[in-house]
């Protein structure tokens, strides 16, 4: 009972999203290989890996960026790896770079290649939380090697996956 014009519009939106997400998958795989080759564990957050694990199809979720979690001790090395791979950071001013690293929970990169791709490198779970360091240590103690979209990665335990998604949803109200 859905009109042909609406079906056509929905199909076009689905196909455009599928193409965008395929490009995000390619960028994600590239980043995961770069980090893995540098000995830096990374957990893909949300985005196409979540759509793939929940629905079996990365095209079923609208995604805007690539989010990766790295251990805090590996943050500066991960930034170097990503910068050297052609992903300039989003900050034009050294003051804001330092501010993001000191008080933020993710650091942004913007690469304009086939499409403009925003990458957010996370190292904290909850900003301004006194127990964040303990939580992150526990999270990484339970993280396990796996593959995401065919690339080497790490994954949350099921409990941490739930806690991360709940915290992220609360953060966005």
């Amino acid at each position: 009972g859905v009109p042909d014009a609406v079906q056509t519009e929905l199909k076009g939106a689905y196909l455009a999203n599928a193409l965008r997400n395929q490009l995000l998958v390619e960028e994600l795989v590239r980043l995961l290989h770069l980090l893995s080759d540098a000995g830096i564990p990374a957990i893909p957050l949300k985005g196409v890996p979540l759509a793939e694990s929940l629905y079996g199809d990365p095209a079923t979720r609208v995604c805007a960026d690539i989010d990766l979690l790295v251990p805090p001790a590996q943050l500066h090395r991960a930034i170097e790896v990503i910068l050297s791979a052609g992903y300039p950071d989003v900050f034009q001013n050294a003051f804001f770079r330092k501010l993001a690293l000191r008080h933020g929970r993710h650091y942004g990169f913007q690469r304009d290649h086939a499409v403009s791709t925003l990458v957010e490198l996370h190292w904290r779970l909850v900003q301004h939380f006194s127990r964040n360091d303990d939580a992150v240590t526990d999270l990484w103690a339970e993280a396990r090697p796996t593959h995401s979209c065919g690339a080497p990665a790490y994954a949350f335990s099921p409990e941490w996956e739930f806690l991360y998604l709940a915290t992220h949803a609360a953060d966005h109200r």
Side-chain angles (χ1 to χ4, degrees):
V2 177
D4 289 342
V6 174
Q7 286 184 31
T8 300
E9 187 175 337
L10 288 172
K11 183 176 181 181
Y14 174 83
L15 292 174
N17 188 62
L19 176 60
R20 168 87 177 138
N21 285 1
Q22 180 57 41
L23 295 171
L24 287 174
V25 165
E26 291 170 12
E27 292 293 318
L28 173 64
V29 166
R30 180 174 184 257
L31 287 166
L32 288 172
H33 279 291
L34 289 168
L35 292 169
S36 177
D37 291 348
I40 302 169
I43 298 175
L45 305 172
K46 310 173 301 185
V48 290
L50 181 62
E52 186 176 57
S53 70
L54 289 178
Y55 310 116
D57 179 3
T60 56
R61 184 173 191 272
V62 176
C63 304
D65 61 4
I66 296 170
D67 294 273
L68 296 168
L69 178 71
V70 297
Q74 299 281 343
L75 173 64
H76 292 287
R77 178 72 181 117
I79 289 172
E80 290 173 11
V81 167
I82 293 171
L83 287 171
S84 68
Y87 294 82
D89 64 20
V90 297
F91 301 103
Q92 302 298 315
N93 183 299
F95 171 79
F96 291 110
R97 286 184 190 110
K98 290 178 185 176
L99 190 65
L101 290 170
R102 179 174 293 148
H103 299 290
R105 71 169 186 261
H106 59 77
Y107 193 86
F109 305 87
Q110 182 79 38
R111 182 169 184 247
D112 295 316
H113 185 57
V115 294
S116 182
T117 304
L118 176 64
V119 175
E120 291 183 343
L121 188 62
H122 297 250
W123 66 94
R124 289 187 178 116
L125 291 176
V126 182
Q127 195 169 352
H128 309 301
F129 177 52
S130 63
R131 302 286 312 248
N132 179 76
D133 293 348
D134 295 334
V136 170
T137 299
D138 291 347
L139 176 154
W140 280 104
E142 294 182 29
R144 298 292 174 249
T146 188
H147 284 84
S148 179
C149 302
Y154 278 72
F156 288 120
S157 68
E159 296 82 6
W160 276 109
E161 179 86 22
F162 174 78
L163 286 171
Y164 172 77
L165 291 173
T167 301
H168 183 74
D171 190 41
H172 287 283
R173 295 185 175 91

